[in-house]
Amino acid sequence: MEETAAHNKKLRAGIIGLGCRGVSMTGLLAERDDLDITAVCDVYDDRISMMQEKLAADGRARPVGFTDYNELISSPLTDVIFVFAAWEAHVPAVVAAMRAGKPVAFEVGGAYSLDDCRLLVSVWEETHTPAMMLENCMYGIREMTVTEMARDGIFGDIMHVDGGYMHDLRSEIANGAKNRHYRLRNYLSRNCENYPTHELGPICRLLGINEDNRFLTLSSFSTAARGLNDYAARTPGIDPALADAHFAQGDVVTTIITTAKGQTVKITLDTTLARPYSRGLTVHGTRGFFCEDNLSVYTDDTNSEADHFRWRNFWGNFDGWIEKYQPKLWRDYTAAGIKKGHGGMDFLVLDAFITSVKEDLPMPIDIYDAAVLMAVSPLSALSVSKGGAPVAFPDLLNGRDPASIPRCEGIYSLHRTAKKTNP
Amino acid sequence: MEETAAHNKKLRAGIIGLGCRGVSMTGLLAERDDLDITAVCDVYDDRISMMQEKLAADGRARPVGFTDYNELISSPLTDVIFVFAAWEAHVPAVVAAMRAGKPVAFEVGGAYSLDDCRLLVSVWEETHTPAMMLENCMYGIREMTVTEMARDGIFGDIMHVDGGYMHDLRSEIANGAKNRHYRLRNYLSRNCENYPTHELGPICRLLGINEDNRFLTLSSFSTAARGLNDYAARTPGIDPALADAHFAQGDVVTTIITTAKGQTVKITLDTTLARPYSRGLTVHGTRGFFCEDNLSVYTDDTNSEADHFRWRNFWGNFDGWIEKYQPKLWRDYTAAGIKKGHGGMDFLVLDAFITSVKEDLPMPIDIYDAAVLMAVSPLSALSVSKGGAPVAFPDLLNGRDPASIPRCEGIYSLHRTAKKTNP
């Protein structure tokens, strides 16, 4: 049958961006049987050669190299496009791919303007080309489990949620010149919540954003920037000029978002100080509470009043809730024994995109979801520049009824309005 | 010698407020040999009788009862005044005591107006009557240890601090009519960060507020109020009318304060949802990090890069830091084997006041400290009413140089400018 033939036909993938993330994600794609990597693109020739040689050495066909992503996108060699490039290239590359009618998956990052977010939406509405943000943490087992618990009413009404991207990136940023990494130039020139999606993507599903809820206002507050200067001044091998460089990006940016349902969301960017990694999810509901930083759950049903002052006794009890509430996706995935990339999330998010393209399903993380997440960065830059004044969160659905948005169903479904996949 | 005689003379204490907190604190005072409780006051006669009988039954002199605190303050029976009454009574009672020239200690709570904060300062500046807020958590072993660590440079430059009063008070509030508790009327009529001092008092010492640092702006964000309605609707014994009552106080109020040193402080009021107790202190510095919710410390000096993704492995390692960094006050106190009231903090804060009065020392928590802490409530009410707009934090020192403020030295010293008491 033609349908089966289409399913069996290998996708020909063009890869844009061969930095650290691009290499890692391309490695996962190269292991797939349903996809050939036919073209790769980077602004640096040596990265192209490196990837061509790596794939050839692994027994795959040697992809054609491009230094201009527009050529890769328009090339007849490619059917689907993966954008792993620097943040600045995401929107123009995704827009070009959508206009070329080629399904496109793109790495996470904030936008540089609200106009760019609106452009993503309007080009998608013109073209309906499948486009999916690869927000891997939306497939994280903790995040998905907490969302299942929320949908089962464990937390009652959720009133407040915290999240964060709290990741000590001092080495990555301070070595940015050597490694040609875009974070360095961003941290030198820009001050905002520059990386909101890892925590806010899952939080959007938890709160039903773009379903029956929306963000209303956003306020961001930045500290001064001292972490990178201090790190550069005392760390061997780091460009000593960075000890006195003026970094625009504050060490900690705290952002408060209000929702149409009277909730608050607090997200934290904390990437240039000494600290352990965390996405810091907390859920504060009328009947229950979750805290990622000690992996505990407390509910009216499962805890006694005496537990209130004995939190330490149940640190780590989330393990039991994962057993009970993890989605079918994760049960199957764990049973299959394949866990690749960031504990498995990278494989899942890539597979979600490829499966949806092959089966002609709506994207589980769609352009409206991406636009809302990416809008946080320019909105936070504006609020920071106004001393934390609240700014209105624009309606990136253009007044569209969320119920009219096509939803992905099946194992990779993320929206609440989709058919439930948990048994 | 006259000095010794003065030291040996028993203080005659008048107690204002015999609710739950008043009974507990009066119990601690009644155990002291250097103080007689000569007068007690409450608006409810039965509470007065109860306390008179309790003290008499314990073999103490029966105190005289008052229903008007002004009479207790002006009575020749009292030398020092303790205010444990409802929040609304704190400022007028403290002002009356200062004007009467009687040293006064008062329980914590937010002010109802900035004018009240300014009044505290101006009356103290007129009278110089010793007045101390009984912020017990400023003598908490965790808080004092973290402050010692900060002063020793463990965290490098502190850029961001979190704290909170996260205490499930649903039962206390919903039983407020039965128990004649002031929180009920406050939660029905007022929406703000109503109880900032337990976390923010210690944070002020950590950041040197009223020393070489000050708060610049404050922004507060409130959720809707659902926790108490939901609790009342499903909890036996709670007035069912509360299930539909309109509570003004949002379930979670998040407040961001900026400082003159480019830091941010985030405090959370979370008292009407299901959750474990926490004051949620975190310290984010250029060289180190502390998290109360899993009692861990992470520093560039003591952790390797591999630890960054293995936080769970060192949850609880703060125990070792307490061993090393707790102040002499706590070492002596623990060695003496006396731990009374909230793990010892209540004894310490009362002893700090009484010792300072007897030794004629400046108060370790002075009127300027109290005014700054109490100002958070009216400022947050204003910001909440303006949708989270930042409001300027007024200079409650009236332009006074902090270095000119008399500082308590010795074992109960809290300010950094005071002589260090740690060996």
Side-chain angles (χ1 to χ4, degrees):
Chain A
M1 291 185 299
E2 209 175 300
E3 200 190 331
T4 313
H7 277 207
N8 290 340
K9 197 184 148 210
K10 282 195 177 187
L11 294 170
R12 297 173 310 151
I15 311 285
I16 300 170
L18 300 171
C20 184
R21 184 66 177 155
V23 167
S24 140
M25 293 293 263
T26 303
L28 288 179
L29 291 174
E31 292 177 15
R32 300 185 64 104
D33 295 329
D34 56 357
L35 179 146
D36 283 325
I37 297 167
T38 51
V40 295
C41 171
D42 201 279
V43 289
Y44 300 111
D45 285 321
D46 59 301
R47 287 182 176 173
I48 296 172
S49 314
M50 176 275 299
M51 183 54 74
Q52 287 171 322
E53 280 153 34
K54 183 172 185 297
L55 290 170
D58 290 347
R60 315 274 306 191
R62 183 184 178 88
V64 176
F66 293 88
T67 53
D68 178 344
Y69 62 75
N70 286 300
E71 291 178 19
L72 176 141
I73 289 168
S74 59
S75 163
L77 291 169
T78 57
D79 302 321
V80 295
I81 309 297
F82 292 86
V83 180
F84 305 132
W87 296 336
E88 295 91 335
H90 291 188
V91 171
V94 171
V95 163
M98 286 196 287
R99 286 190 168 140
K102 297 190 179 177
V104 55
F106 54 104
E107 258 303 335
V108 302
Y112 288 79
S113 73
L114 285 177
D115 281 349
D116 271 359
C117 300
R118 293 193 186 98
L119 182 66
L120 286 174
V121 168
S122 65
V123 173
W124 184 81
E125 292 185 344
E126 283 159 37
T127 64
H128 284 87
T129 306
M132 174 170 156
M133 175 182 269
L134 296 172
E135 185 27 86
N136 54 356
C137 299
M138 293 176 79
Y139 289 103
I141 189 166
R142 289 181 188 170
E143 289 86 346
M144 293 192 88
T145 298
V146 168
T147 301
E148 292 290 335
M149 289 166 64
R151 290 175 184 175
D152 201 39
I154 298 295
F155 302 113
D157 287 345
I158 295 175
M159 303 310 296
H160 177 83
V161 178
D162 295 306
Y165 183 66
M166 302 184 279
H167 188 174
D168 176 3
L169 295 171
R170 289 174 297 174
S171 171
E172 174 180 298
I173 298 164
N175 285 300
K178 195 191 311 174
N179 298 333
R180 301 174 297 195
H181 196 291
Y182 50 89
R183 265 201 176 88
L184 177 57
R185 63 175 178 263
N186 274 277
Y187 278 64
L188 285 166
S189 65
R190 185 178 180 226
N191 190 12
C192 64
E193 171 43 271
N194 62 37
Y195 208 59
T197 71
H198 282 331
E199 70 273 27
L200 200 58
I203 288 171
C204 283
R205 294 289 59 75
L206 201 52
L207 301 184
I209 300 301
N210 288 358
E211 295 168 15
D212 59 351
N213 199 2
R214 57 172 298 240
F215 293 145
L216 290 187
T217 68
L218 179 150
S219 307
S220 282
F221 306 85
S222 172
T223 68
R226 297 219 212 301
L228 287 166
N229 292 143
D230 182 67
Y231 177 80
R234 64 193 164 86
T235 306
I238 301 295
D239 177 3
L242 291 180
D244 299 310
H246 173 74
F247 285 95
Q249 180 66 50
D251 289 321
V252 178
V253 174
T254 306
T255 298
I256 311 281
I257 305 176
T258 61
T259 79
K261 290 191 174 179
Q263 300 144 324
T264 49
V265 177
K266 187 267 293 171
I267 61 172
T268 302
L269 180 78
D270 181 355
T271 53
T272 52
L273 301 174
R275 61 158 298 143
Y277 180 90
S278 177
R279 295 197 292 278
L281 182 64
T282 71
V283 180
H284 304 237
T286 51
R287 301 183 180 194
F289 176 80
F290 168 75
C291 176
E292 181 174 3
D293 283 350
N294 58 26
L295 291 172
S296 73
V297 173
Y298 178 102
T299 78
D300 279 341
D301 283 345
T302 55
N303 291 84
S304 70
E305 270 198 42
D307 287 339
H308 185 61
F309 291 105
R310 295 178 196 154
W311 197 0
R312 195 169 183 165
N313 290 357
F314 51 97
W315 291 353
N317 74 349
F318 183 57
D319 296 343
W321 292 85
I322 285 188
E323 272 315 300
K324 180 165 180 200
Y325 274 99
Q326 64 180 291
K328 183 171 185 308
L329 175 68
W330 267 96
R331 283 190 208 284
D332 294 351
Y333 185 46
T334 308
I338 32 169
K339 274 207 180 187
K340 289 173 184 166
H342 287 131
M345 303 186 301
D346 291 349
F347 174 87
L348 288 177
V349 76
L350 287 171
D351 198 53
F353 170 71
I354 293 164
T355 301
S356 301
V357 168
K358 285 161 62 183
E359 301 188 2
D360 203 17
L361 296 170
M363 294 291 114
I365 305 168
D366 63 35
I367 206 73
Y368 301 103
D369 298 328
V372 166
L373 291 170
M374 295 173 77
V376 167
S377 297
L379 291 169
S380 79
L382 180 61
S383 178
V384 165
S385 76
K386 297 166 89 168
V391 296
F393 211 109
D395 174 18
L396 290 159
L397 274 60
N398 279 333
R400 182 169 185 163
D401 176 3
S404 74
I405 301 173
R407 294 298 188 204
C408 170
E409 293 190 357
I411 192 83
Y412 284 115
S413 161
L414 291 170
H415 292 87
R416 188 181 219 146
T417 44
K419 203 185 292 177
K420 282 202 63 156
T421 56
N422 222 21
Chain B
M1 291 186 300
E2 210 174 299
E3 199 189 331
T4 313
H7 278 207
N8 290 340
K9 197 184 147 208
K10 282 195 178 186
L11 294 170
R12 297 174 309 151
I15 311 285
I16 299 170
L18 300 170
C20 184
R21 184 66 177 156
V23 167
S24 140
M25 293 293 264
T26 304
L28 289 179
L29 291 173
E31 292 177 14
R32 299 185 64 103
D33 295 330
D34 56 356
L35 178 145
D36 283 325
I37 296 167
T38 50
V40 296
C41 171
D42 200 280
V43 289
Y44 300 110
D45 285 321
D46 59 301
R47 287 182 175 172
I48 296 172
S49 314
M50 177 275 299
M51 183 54 75
Q52 287 171 322
E53 280 154 34
K54 183 172 186 296
L55 290 170
D58 290 347
R60 315 274 305 191
R62 184 184 177 88
V64 176
F66 293 88
T67 53
D68 178 345
Y69 63 74
N70 286 301
E71 290 178 19
L72 176 141
I73 289 168
S74 59
S75 163
L77 292 169
T78 57
D79 302 321
V80 295
I81 308 297
F82 291 86
V83 181
F84 305 131
W87 296 336
E88 296 91 335
H90 291 187
V91 170
V94 171
V95 164
M98 286 196 287
R99 286 191 168 139
K102 297 190 179 177
V104 55
F106 54 104
E107 258 303 334
V108 302
Y112 288 79
S113 72
L114 285 177
D115 281 349
D116 271 359
C117 300
R118 294 194 186 97
L119 182 66
L120 286 174
V121 168
S122 66
V123 173
W124 184 82
E125 291 185 344
E126 283 159 37
T127 64
H128 284 86
T129 306
M132 175 170 156
M133 175 182 269
L134 296 172
E135 186 27 86
N136 54 357
C137 299
M138 294 176 78
Y139 289 103
I141 190 167
R142 289 181 188 169
E143 289 86 347
M144 294 192 87
T145 298
V146 168
T147 301
E148 292 290 335
M149 289 166 64
R151 290 174 184 175
D152 201 39
I154 298 294
F155 303 112
D157 286 345
I158 295 175
M159 304 310 295
H160 177 83
V161 178
D162 295 306
Y165 183 66
M166 302 184 280
H167 188 174
D168 175 3
L169 295 171
R170 289 174 297 173
S171 171
E172 174 180 298
I173 298 164
N175 285 299
K178 196 191 311 175
N179 298 333
R180 301 174 296 194
H181 196 291
Y182 50 89
R183 266 201 176 88
L184 177 58
R185 63 175 178 263
N186 274 276
Y187 277 64
L188 285 166
S189 65
R190 186 177 179 226
N191 189 12
C192 64
E193 172 43 271
N194 62 37
Y195 208 59
T197 71
H198 282 331
E199 70 273 26
L200 199 58
I203 288 171
C204 283
R205 295 289 58 77
L206 201 52
L207 301 184
I209 301 301
N210 288 358
E211 295 168 15
D212 59 351
N213 199 2
R214 58 172 298 240
F215 293 145
L216 290 187
T217 67
L218 179 149
S219 307
S220 282
F221 305 85
S222 172
T223 69
R226 298 220 211 301
L228 288 166
N229 292 143
D230 181 66
Y231 177 80
R234 63 193 163 87
T235 306
I238 301 295
D239 177 2
L242 291 180
D244 299 310
H246 173 74
F247 285 95
Q249 180 66 50
D251 289 320
V252 178
V253 174
T254 306
T255 298
I256 311 281
I257 305 175
T258 61
T259 79
K261 290 191 173 179
Q263 300 144 325
T264 49
V265 178
K266 187 267 293 170
I267 61 172
T268 303
L269 179 78
D270 181 354
T271 53
T272 52
L273 300 175
R275 61 157 298 142
Y277 181 90
S278 177
R279 295 197 292 278
L281 182 64
T282 71
V283 180
H284 305 237
T286 51
R287 301 183 181 194
F289 176 80
F290 168 75
C291 176
E292 181 175 3
D293 284 350
N294 58 26
L295 291 171
S296 74
V297 173
Y298 178 102
T299 78
D300 279 342
D301 283 345
T302 55
N303 292 84
S304 70
E305 270 198 42
D307 287 339
H308 185 61
F309 290 105
R310 295 178 196 155
W311 197 359
R312 194 169 182 165
N313 290 356
F314 50 97
W315 291 354
N317 75 348
F318 183 56
D319 296 343
W321 292 85
I322 285 188
E323 272 315 298
K324 181 165 179 198
Y325 274 98
Q326 64 180 291
K328 183 173 185 307
L329 175 67
W330 266 96
R331 284 190 208 284
D332 294 352
Y333 185 46
T334 308
I338 31 169
K339 274 207 180 186
K340 289 172 185 166
H342 286 131
M345 303 186 301
D346 291 349
F347 174 87
L348 289 176
V349 76
L350 287 171
D351 198 53
F353 170 71
I354 293 164
T355 301
S356 301
V357 168
K358 285 161 63 183
E359 301 188 2
D360 203 18
L361 296 170
M363 293 292 113
I365 305 168
D366 64 35
I367 206 72
Y368 301 104
D369 299 328
V372 166
L373 291 170
M374 294 173 77
V376 167
S377 297
L379 291 169
S380 78
L382 180 61
S383 178
V384 165
S385 76
K386 297 166 89 169
V391 296
F393 211 108
D395 174 17
L396 290 159
L397 273 60
N398 279 334
R400 182 170 186 165
D401 176 3
S404 74
I405 301 173
R407 294 299 188 202
C408 170
E409 293 189 359
I411 193 84
Y412 284 115
S413 161
L414 291 170
H415 292 88
R416 188 181 220 146
T417 43
K419 202 185 292 176
K420 281 202 63 155
T421 56
N422 223 20

